[in-house]
Amino acid sequence: MQKRFLFRSLSAALITSFATAALLVPTVYAGEADVYPNKPVRIVVPVAAGGSADKLTRTLADKLSQLWGQSVVVENIAGASGTIGANKVAKAAPDGYTLLQQGEGLTLNAILFRELPYDAKAFTPVIKAVVNPQILVVNPATGIHNFAEYLARAKAKPESISLGLPGNGGIAHVAHEIITQETGAKVNYIPYPGGGPATLDVLGGHTDATLITLAAVTEYVRAGKLRALAVTTAYRSPALPDVPTMAEAGLPGFSVESWQGYFAPSGTPSAIVEKINRDIQTVLKTPEVRAKLEDMGFKVAGGKPADLAASLQTEQPKYALAIKTAGISLR
């Protein structure tokens, strides 16, 4: 049976706080930032290992370790749509040694949850690292060859297609609910703690499809183990140029772009936040890393902490409207 979620209240204070968080942290002398880091750094990825967020963070962590001369440890803490991992970082010392990988999930969780385990001013934006499409893929055994056939089956036989969600209330969930609203195509949502396990079950034939960050499944599509139907962005991905956009495949004007970035606990000194930002940008700009990420399906973003804060403010009303219209919420 399809799992549906009722819309609850909007926690807009969390989103608004990101816009000013970078201005509310204490400053430190440049010399203190110069010696950062002088011990291992931990990056919390709030989803299961194996997905796109995990792949991105491990790629960056390896290069940051070399740049800093310190271990950069990636820790996967999945559960509750990323809020368990986020809460760990929110309660960590604000010294730059514990960071959070997150994307639009921070915005979505602020809209979807009645209450969050962390304060509205828990995080300081560091950098938007990449942007990327979501991609709809199916197991070839389903006999579905293109997006039109997918929609036709989901409309003719509602909930006959099982769709693995890489997280309740995530960007994939929101994007597919918009598809449902526009087409009437209904599927049976199966929630997972991340993109890795969601992908494995589609590969194994336990579920029929998933809508997921493109970078999580690029290799499987190229190998023919998964069939790509369409991407959610207004542009095709250079990593899979033959895969049409949903707008091209039957949903004119449809466009959803996701992103992934990094945050520090609120109160982290601005000089350290700026140093982490500069160093991540340095890594992102190296030809080896850029090529690897683009081959996976990511598009390198970058920018200042304030740019990420502004982005959060911009996307909040857009997703709030989409979620309210679709009737999604988390209990």
Side-chain angles (χ1 to χ4, degrees):
M1 182 180 212
Q2 183 180 16
K3 301 186 188 306
R4 302 281 297 175
F5 306 93
L6 300 175
F7 179 75
R8 292 179 182 268
S9 60
L10 174 63
S11 301
L14 177 65
I15 305 304
T16 303
S17 69
F18 290 133
T20 57
L23 302 176
L24 299 177
V25 297
T27 58
V28 297
Y29 294 111
E32 294 183 56
D34 288 342
V35 300
Y36 171 91
N38 55 21
K39 62 181 180 179
V41 176
R42 177 176 65 148
I43 303 178
V44 172
V45 178
V47 295
S52 60
D54 187 60
K55 292 177 180 179
L56 166 67
T57 302
R58 291 182 187 279
T59 297
L60 296 183
D62 178 61
K63 297 302 180 183
L64 287 171
S65 293
Q66 297 175 29
L67 180 63
W68 288 340
Q70 295 288 342
S71 297
V72 179
V73 180
V74 177
E75 183 176 0
N76 297 88
I77 304 178
S81 297
T83 61
I84 295 177
N87 191 42
K88 290 279 188 181
V89 178
K91 291 177 168 53
D95 55 10
Y97 289 93
T98 303
L99 305 175
L100 173 67
Q101 183 283 322
Q102 254 291 12
E104 64 284 324
L106 277 181
T107 303
L108 297 173
N109 286 342
I111 300 168
L112 291 163
F113 279 91
R114 181 187 294 274
E115 294 182 357
L116 290 167
Y118 43 82
D119 184 80
K121 298 178 181 179
F123 307 106
T124 293
V126 176
I127 189 170
K128 179 186 281 190
V130 296
V131 295
N132 42 268
Q134 298 288 302
I135 187 170
L136 179 63
V137 296
V138 297
N139 186 303
T142 60
I144 298 172
H145 296 88
N146 54 53
F147 189 51
E149 291 181 4
Y150 175 88
L151 293 178
R153 183 178 299 186
K155 291 165 68 175
K157 298 179 179 179
E159 301 184 21
S160 63
I161 297 174
S162 56
L163 182 94
L165 286 176
N168 276 341
I171 191 65
H173 191 176
V174 173
H176 203 286
E177 280 288 359
I178 296 173
I179 294 170
T180 297
Q181 289 292 314
E182 294 188 8
T183 67
K186 296 183 179 180
V187 299
N188 179 23
Y189 293 129
I190 310 295
Y192 288 85
T199 301
L200 288 176
D201 268 11
V202 182
L203 288 167
H206 305 298
T207 52
D208 299 318
T210 186
L211 183 59
I212 195 168
T213 301
L214 185 143
V217 295
T218 307
E219 60 188 284
Y220 300 118
V221 172
R222 289 173 177 162
K225 296 179 180 179
L226 294 175
R227 179 174 294 144
L229 305 184
V231 295
T232 60
T233 44
Y235 56 87
R236 294 191 181 197
S237 170
L240 295 171
D242 294 331
V243 180
T245 68
M246 289 185 177
E248 293 173 328
L251 285 181
F254 188 93
S255 178
V256 174
E257 181 181 70
S258 60
W259 59 271
Q260 295 181 41
Y262 296 90
F263 296 79
S266 181
T268 302
S270 59
I272 289 179
V273 170
E274 291 163 6
K275 184 179 193 311
I276 298 171
N277 174 283
R278 290 194 304 271
D279 289 346
I280 290 179
Q281 293 210 69
T282 295
V283 169
L284 288 171
K285 290 176 182 177
T286 61
E288 176 190 354
V289 170
R290 180 181 288 272
K292 182 176 182 178
L293 294 179
E294 290 179 349
D295 184 63
M296 290 166 62
F298 290 118
K299 182 177 174 183
V300 173
K304 299 292 186 180
D307 297 326
L308 175 50
S311 179
L312 287 162
Q313 279 198 311
T314 299
E315 71 184 17
Q316 193 273 342
K318 171 185 175 182
Y319 289 138
L321 177 60
I323 288 169
K324 184 175 181 179
T325 301
I328 309 170
S329 187
L330 299 178
R331 298 180 186 277

